[in-house]
Amino acid sequence: MSTVDAYIKKFPANTQRVLKKIRQIIRSAAPKAEESISYGMAAYKLHAKPLVYFAGWKTHVGLYALPSGTAAFKKELIGYKTAKGSIQFQLGETIPYDLIRKIVLFRVNELQVKKK
């Protein structure tokens, strides 16, 4: 898989809709981020540093905001399955797009500060 478009197209229509919306949020919140495929997922880098990743799965979509992005929103993520750097949003449930935007913006800000 060489592009995010090709990656998204391999999923069922309902999963594609969610992945496209997450992609739109990331591109809007981080317009200067470089998009690629890394570790078999959609990947975004900003200032040559990992920003976020997302992936589709059979029953959920995953957002990989690195440990800092997940930790910073620990309270808001209660009720979602999380691990050190990953968050699972179950397909068929309401996806918290506003929260995803906040997490991406947090990561953008974090990388801007580190750049300085």
Side-chain angles (χ1 to χ4, degrees):
M1 203 106 22
S2 60
T3 68
V4 174
D5 285 323
Y7 176 78
I8 291 172
K9 284 181 183 173
K10 75 178 191 169
F11 292 96
N14 64 323
T15 307
Q16 284 186 36
R17 279 191 293 278
V18 174
L19 295 175
K20 285 177 182 178
K21 180 68 176 174
I22 292 170
R23 182 187 194 192
Q24 176 190 5
I25 288 167
I26 295 168
R27 292 169 103 179
S28 170
K32 294 182 179 176
E34 297 173 40
E35 181 179 81
S36 66
I37 297 292
S38 183
Y39 302 107
M41 313 181 247
Y44 296 83
K45 284 187 172 183
L46 189 62
H47 311 304
K49 303 281 185 199
L51 177 66
V52 293
Y53 302 79
F54 70 81
W57 302 97
K58 187 174 183 176
T59 61
H60 69 277
V61 295
L63 181 69
Y64 306 88
L66 305 167
S68 62
T70 304
F73 291 88
K74 193 173 185 174
K75 286 182 183 174
E76 292 93 328
L77 292 168
I78 290 173
Y80 298 100
K81 186 173 180 180
T82 61
K84 186 175 178 181
S86 65
I87 308 158
Q88 291 183 10
F89 301 112
Q90 297 302 309
L91 294 168
E93 294 181 12
T94 302
I95 305 295
Y97 294 114
D98 288 340
L99 178 56
I100 292 170
R101 179 178 308 283
K102 288 177 189 175
I103 293 168
V104 174
L105 288 170
F106 170 83
R107 289 287 299 136
V108 168
N109 185 58
E110 187 174 46
L111 292 177
Q112 297 283 35
V113 169
K114 286 182 180 178
K115 182 183 173 211
K116 292 179 181 174

